[in-house]
Amino acid sequence: MLLPVGATLRLLLRQLMIALLNGVADTDPRYEDFSVWHYRTDSWWWQHQGAVIRLGRKIEIGLRFTLDGLWFQGAWWYPDSGQVDMFRKVVASEGSGRELSAIVGAVR
């Protein structure tokens, strides 16, 4: 049975995202799991295929394929008490702060 062009495109985009995230998961054990979203009705969503990679409790990386490229977003949802202060101290420390600055600079 042949699928309509739109359905075929949606399936291909979803399979591409799943393959990308499986590759990431195979190379970095910090990734706990991922979700690839599946939408049937609104063409905007399958033209902008989205997914989430969970790095840990309440920490996620969102990504989306579009015709323009690949989009990334990081999120830290509802940190536990004390985590924000601990994060600020680690970022402000000389060693780890310098390492984080180098990572962010390399991404830019």
Side-chain angles (χ1 to χ4, degrees):
M1 177 173 103
L2 291 175
L3 295 173
V5 173
T8 302
L9 182 57
R10 283 194 299 271
L11 181 62
L12 290 173
L13 288 172
R14 191 165 195 275
Q15 288 173 341
L16 179 62
M17 181 68 84
I18 290 170
L20 170 71
L21 297 180
N22 276 326
V24 169
D26 288 345
T27 59
D28 194 332
R30 293 176 296 176
Y31 295 146
E32 291 188 355
D33 68 344
F34 63 84
S35 298
V36 177
W37 305 322
H38 180 65
Y39 302 96
R40 292 186 181 269
T41 56
D42 189 341
S43 64
W44 189 92
W45 288 108
W46 59 263
Q47 292 171 354
H48 300 80
Q49 177 65 61
V52 170
I53 299 171
R54 280 172 284 284
L55 297 176
R57 188 169 172 258
K58 303 178 185 178
I59 300 173
E60 298 176 344
I61 297 174
L63 56 147
R64 183 176 299 138
F65 280 129
T66 70
L67 297 174
D68 297 321
L70 185 60
W71 168 88
F72 287 91
Q73 170 187 342
W76 184 12
W77 302 107
Y78 311 106
D80 295 328
S81 62
Q83 282 186 315
V84 173
D85 287 336
M86 186 181 349
F87 175 77
R88 289 178 178 156
K89 287 177 185 175
V90 169
V91 169
S93 75
E94 194 168 317
S96 56
R98 212 175 303 132
E99 183 179 355
L100 178 60
S101 180
I103 291 169
V104 171
V107 170
R108 289 186 182 158

